[in-house]
Amino acid sequence: MRPVESSPIRDLLALTAHPEMISFAGGLPAPELFDLDGWRRAFDRALTGPDARRNLQYAPTEGNLALRGLVAERLTARGVPTGAEDVLVTTGSQQALTVVAATLLGPGAVVAVEEPTYLAALQCFRMAGARPVPVTTDEDGMVPGSLAEVLERERPSLVYLVPNFANPTGRTLTAARRLAVTELAAAHGVWVVDDDPYGELRYRGEPLSPLAGEGVVSLGSLSKICAPGLRLGWLRAPAALMPRLVVAKQAADLHTSTVDQAAAAIYLAETDLEAHLATLRTEYRTRRDAMIAALPGAVPDGTRWTDPDGGMFIWLHLPGAVDTATLLRGALREQVAFVPGAPFFATTPDPSTMRLSFTTNTPDQIVEGMRRLARALGE
Amino acid sequence: MRPVESSPIRDLLALTAHPEMISFAGGLPAPELFDLDGWRRAFDRALTGPDARRNLQYAPTEGNLALRGLVAERLTARGVPTGAEDVLVTTGSQQALTVVAATLLGPGAVVAVEEPTYLAALQCFRMAGARPVPVTTDEDGMVPGSLAEVLERERPSLVYLVPNFANPTGRTLTAARRLAVTELAAAHGVWVVDDDPYGELRYRGEPLSPLAGEGVVSLGSLSKICAPGLRLGWLRAPAALMPRLVVAKQAADLHTSTVDQAAAAIYLAETDLEAHLATLRTEYRTRRDAMIAALPGAVPDGTRWTDPDGGMFIWLHLPGAVDTATLLRGALREQVAFVPGAPFFATTPDPSTMRLSFTTNTPDQIVEGMRRLARALGE
């Protein structure tokens, strides 16, 4: 028997479906920015012509070869030389995480994580029977000195982190720390899982190289840069690990939707994704700026918040002994939603924290939502 | 760490990709019978109109409500009164199996199975840390007396079976045994998992009622009746179990492809699926008849085989101390493929067995393939 614990985000999303609600809660991309025409054409193409019937048939577990090649090209362009054979297509990067956990973690295993970290990753590790152990994390991401200490003391099986614009904090691991983290993990023979759904959504500064090395498994996804409803993610893994990951993926769902993969291969081959990303970055930058500008007027004096260079999230610490889960009720009465921070902690939750997402609402909606938040927090 | 064992079917499929090969190995539906135009229109509709952007967005873990309702209607029509809320959409029924295993099986758990049974189910149970225990199975499916003995002796957590046209044997559990199996399991407080991908592909005789009751979880899929590349399956579970299954599904991949689910809801609402099923049944019946007719001339004297009322598979026992895994090499030289039977056994494999699928080839191809098989087995 496994724990029967639902996602607080999921339960909360149920509350925020009301049309008058301004939700900063979800980690949803903006649907009005989906390239709807491009995807409709891609699906039509996938179901037309000589490959059409093959695109409705069973397919190899590893994924569509053209799609794997296109993903490999993008990873190579970002500084990690990758071949199609290094890429396994997954049903969203959530499944990549589950496949990695099923492969690398047995009951009682330990996973070193940022504190706070992505809560669905915590749930996934716990369902695999593993124990997440926090590593101290500051403005520059995971602290190597703390990681060294955790590696010695806890002997984890893997280190999990979101190096770019982390969920929930929006923080980015510095270049020097990227090197330090991978070197420390390699010295202890421990896997590093680099979960990078947001890396291409940078609004300020220069991109940093992804974590790399023989002990690194990288996870990526089309969810934030194209559309999450496609459930198309991938993992990049060293050749020695790939056969075991493929077996776990096969047990999970045989393979990812053939037609979705075929449409994605067509879409990525024929679309100027860089132009689409430029549009996303411009729009999301404006939304982040609107939220950052509105924050000082919306939160109590003494509140601290992160100022992310990219991604979707701002992380807040309210002053005093407040519990944001309690404050959420007042916020929902004002028709504004956020995610209380406690579930993102591996061990000791800080109830004064909360996560705001700036991607789903227009700047005007953000301004209005922050007004409502001010009323809720000022009550 | 989990076992690193790949699927023999999967490795074999890699060998049978050659265009001259006539493969009776895979469990693939015939691609020329896919309703390609219907699915192309359904995807186009899903990505047009007011819901189009929602159909590319994140969606509830339980699945598309319209699709759940349509699945529930079909189950109700087949004799199991079902509401949309009783249905969880999964990424193929392979994922339904994995979700059930993650929810109901802990390390060391026991699963009672038919012998032989679906090998990916065996793999899935083993990956969950559980131990499959065989129940004696004859022409009429699982033998209740043997099940009673296994329930007493092994205290399994669940009973897994494919009651209609089982994989690999093609056998069907009789109505009397359906009742006996569910009553026995209920008396021991043990879950029954009714895996039914082939139930609507009956070529002879009257449909039997699905297994039913508060302790039954039913798995279904569009893979064999529409197209497997969609990766659309479902499970029907008692209300008390559903929340835990939803948590496991969420950990697996958050939810199944939104666009595939939307297309399926549109397709099922607007298509005469009964007419499509009638076409499939007529064509597959002809193919089964062609293979059954060719069998006596293709196999050694003393070979026994099943005569399935539906589904995709015929199961053979060759006479004498032969190993079909060895015979497969000669068959592949003759450009014909089958699946050796050994991997389908939970405990003691019978190496003289093999599985033939009759769905993927036309009657003419079947006749030619059986000629090649005769040469391979006669060498």
Side-chain angles (χ1 to χ4, degrees):
Chain A
M1 301 288 178
R2 308 298 170 79
V4 184
E5 185 190 0
S6 185
S7 156
I9 285 191
R10 186 170 159 269
D11 297 345
L12 202 128
L13 280 174
L15 292 175
T16 60
H18 193 280
E20 293 305 307
M21 185 73 69
I22 294 179
S23 178
F24 302 138
L28 310 183
E32 70 275 18
L33 302 179
F34 293 158
D35 179 8
L36 185 58
D37 292 339
W39 284 101
R40 192 191 310 109
R41 276 196 305 272
F43 274 94
D44 190 64
R45 288 278 311 280
L47 295 172
T48 307
D51 288 336
R53 291 182 185 276
R54 199 191 309 163
N55 290 338
L56 288 172
Q57 185 58 285
Y58 283 116
T61 299
E62 292 85 345
N64 177 303
L65 194 59
L67 178 59
R68 295 164 74 200
L70 289 157
V71 167
E73 273 178 31
R74 293 195 69 78
L75 291 171
T76 301
R78 293 179 65 204
V80 185
T82 303
E85 69 283 3
D86 304 320
V87 174
L88 170 65
V89 177
T90 58
T91 307
S93 70
Q94 177 71 23
Q95 186 185 61
L97 202 55
T98 308
V99 162
V100 167
T103 305
L104 296 180
L105 303 176
V110 167
V111 181
V113 299
E114 294 161 285
E115 180 86 320
T117 193
Y118 176 43
L119 68 81
L122 292 175
Q123 288 191 306
C124 170
F125 298 141
R126 287 176 182 139
M127 281 202 70
R131 182 168 59 93
V133 168
V135 178
T136 305
T137 306
D138 66 17
E139 312 302 287
D140 293 332
M142 189 176 267
V143 176
S146 173
L147 177 62
E149 195 264 323
V150 167
L151 287 168
E152 273 306 323
R153 189 185 71 225
E154 301 278 355
R155 303 275 158 196
S157 301
L158 65 85
V159 180
Y160 169 80
L161 70 179
V162 184
N164 294 311
F165 331 126
N167 185 354
T169 65
R171 288 171 182 154
T172 296
L173 191 70
T174 61
R177 287 196 180 177
R178 285 168 197 239
L179 207 58
V181 165
T182 46
E183 285 181 357
L184 276 167
H188 285 75
V190 169
W191 293 101
V192 175
V193 175
D194 171 349
D195 189 1
D196 188 29
Y198 318 111
E200 301 202 85
L201 297 177
R202 175 177 276 278
Y203 318 129
R204 181 170 63 197
E206 290 302 310
L208 298 175
S209 293
L211 277 64
E214 266 310 290
V216 176
V217 178
S218 314
L219 315 187
S221 168
L222 292 185
S223 291
K224 306 307 192 288
I225 60 175
C226 289
L230 302 163
R231 307 310 299 126
L232 287 174
W234 56 84
L235 56 81
R236 180 200 184 279
L241 191 57
M242 192 55 96
R244 291 168 56 205
L245 294 167
V246 171
V247 169
K249 159 68 180 169
Q250 186 183 30
D253 62 2
L254 298 184
H255 62 80
T256 294
S257 166
T258 320
V259 60
D260 293 2
Q261 290 188 74
I266 291 165
Y267 181 86
L268 292 177
E270 303 193 349
T271 306
D272 184 352
L273 188 62
E274 289 313 315
H276 178 66
L277 285 170
T279 305
L280 291 184
R281 289 183 196 116
T282 300
E283 186 57 38
Y284 287 159
R285 181 188 295 115
T286 309
R287 295 176 185 200
R288 183 208 54 176
D289 291 351
M291 188 172 276
I292 289 285
L295 262 167
V299 296
D301 285 349
T303 301
R304 290 172 291 131
W305 58 88
T306 57
D307 184 15
D309 293 334
M312 311 177 78
F313 304 115
I314 297 173
W315 179 247
L316 278 71
H317 284 259
L318 300 192
V322 298
D323 183 345
T324 55
T326 309
L327 296 176
L328 177 60
R329 291 180 204 177
L332 292 175
R333 277 194 299 270
E334 296 286 349
Q335 307 263 46
V336 64
F338 58 82
V339 181
F344 295 95
F345 290 82
T347 50
T348 316
D350 179 346
S352 74
T353 56
M354 56 192 271
R355 189 192 77 177
L356 298 177
S357 167
F358 52 80
T359 48
T360 326
N361 292 286
T362 63
D364 284 354
Q365 290 168 322
I366 288 172
V367 168
E368 171 57 22
M370 295 303 276
R371 271 194 213 113
R372 297 180 188 180
L373 187 66
R375 288 199 295 273
L377 299 181
E379 272 167 5
Chain B
M1 302 288 178
R2 307 299 169 81
V4 183
E5 185 190 3
S6 185
S7 155
I9 284 191
R10 186 169 160 269
D11 297 343
L12 202 128
L13 280 175
L15 292 176
T16 61
H18 193 282
E20 293 305 308
M21 185 73 69
I22 293 179
S23 177
F24 302 138
L28 309 182
E32 70 274 19
L33 302 179
F34 293 159
D35 180 8
L36 185 58
D37 292 339
W39 284 102
R40 191 190 311 108
R41 278 195 305 272
F43 274 93
D44 190 65
R45 288 276 313 279
L47 295 173
T48 307
D51 288 336
R53 290 182 185 277
R54 198 192 307 163
N55 290 338
L56 288 172
Q57 186 57 286
Y58 283 116
T61 299
E62 291 84 345
N64 177 302
L65 194 58
L67 178 59
R68 294 165 74 202
L70 288 158
V71 168
E73 274 177 32
R74 293 193 68 77
L75 291 171
T76 302
R78 293 179 64 203
V80 185
T82 304
E85 69 283 4
D86 304 319
V87 174
L88 170 65
V89 177
T90 58
T91 307
S93 71
Q94 177 70 25
Q95 186 184 62
L97 201 56
T98 309
V99 162
V100 167
T103 305
L104 296 180
L105 303 177
V110 167
V111 181
V113 299
E114 294 160 284
E115 179 86 320
T117 192
Y118 176 44
L119 66 83
L122 292 175
Q123 288 191 306
C124 169
F125 299 141
R126 287 177 182 139
M127 281 201 70
R131 181 168 59 92
V133 168
V135 179
T136 305
T137 306
D138 65 17
E139 312 302 285
D140 293 333
M142 189 176 266
V143 176
S146 173
L147 176 62
E149 196 264 323
V150 166
L151 287 167
E152 272 309 319
R153 189 185 71 226
E154 301 277 356
R155 304 274 157 197
S157 300
L158 66 84
V159 180
Y160 169 80
L161 70 180
V162 184
N164 293 310
F165 331 124
N167 184 353
T169 64
R171 288 170 181 154
T172 296
L173 192 69
T174 61
R177 287 196 181 176
R178 284 168 198 239
L179 207 60
V181 164
T182 45
E183 284 181 358
L184 276 167
H188 285 77
V190 168
W191 294 101
V192 174
V193 175
D194 170 348
D195 190 1
D196 188 29
Y198 318 110
E200 301 202 86
L201 297 176
R202 176 178 278 276
Y203 317 130
R204 182 171 62 197
E206 290 303 310
L208 299 175
S209 294
L211 277 65
E214 266 311 290
V216 176
V217 178
S218 315
L219 315 186
S221 168
L222 292 185
S223 291
K224 306 306 194 289
I225 60 175
C226 289
L230 302 163
R231 309 309 300 126
L232 288 174
W234 55 84
L235 58 81
R236 179 200 184 281
L241 190 58
M242 193 55 97
R244 291 169 55 206
L245 293 167
V246 171
V247 169
K249 160 68 181 169
Q250 186 183 31
D253 62 2
L254 298 183
H255 61 81
T256 295
S257 166
T258 320
V259 60
D260 292 3
Q261 290 188 76
I266 291 165
Y267 181 87
L268 292 178
E270 303 193 349
T271 305
D272 183 353
L273 188 62
E274 291 311 317
H276 178 67
L277 285 170
T279 305
L280 291 183
R281 288 184 198 116
T282 300
E283 186 57 37
Y284 287 159
R285 182 188 295 117
T286 309
R287 296 177 185 199
R288 184 207 53 175
D289 291 350
M291 187 173 277
I292 290 284
L295 263 167
V299 296
D301 284 351
T303 300
R304 288 173 293 132
W305 59 87
T306 58
D307 183 15
D309 293 334
M312 311 177 79
F313 304 115
I314 298 173
W315 180 246
L316 279 69
H317 283 260
L318 300 193
V322 299
D323 183 344
T324 55
T326 309
L327 295 177
L328 177 61
R329 292 179 203 176
L332 292 174
R333 276 194 300 271
E334 296 285 350
Q335 308 262 44
V336 65
F338 59 82
V339 181
F344 296 95
F345 289 82
T347 49
T348 317
D350 179 346
S352 73
T353 55
M354 56 192 271
R355 189 191 77 180
L356 298 177
S357 166
F358 53 79
T359 48
T360 326
N361 293 285
T362 62
D364 284 353
Q365 289 168 323
I366 288 173
V367 167
E368 169 58 22
M370 295 304 275
R371 269 194 215 115
R372 297 180 188 179
L373 188 66
R375 286 199 296 273
L377 299 181
E379 274 167 3

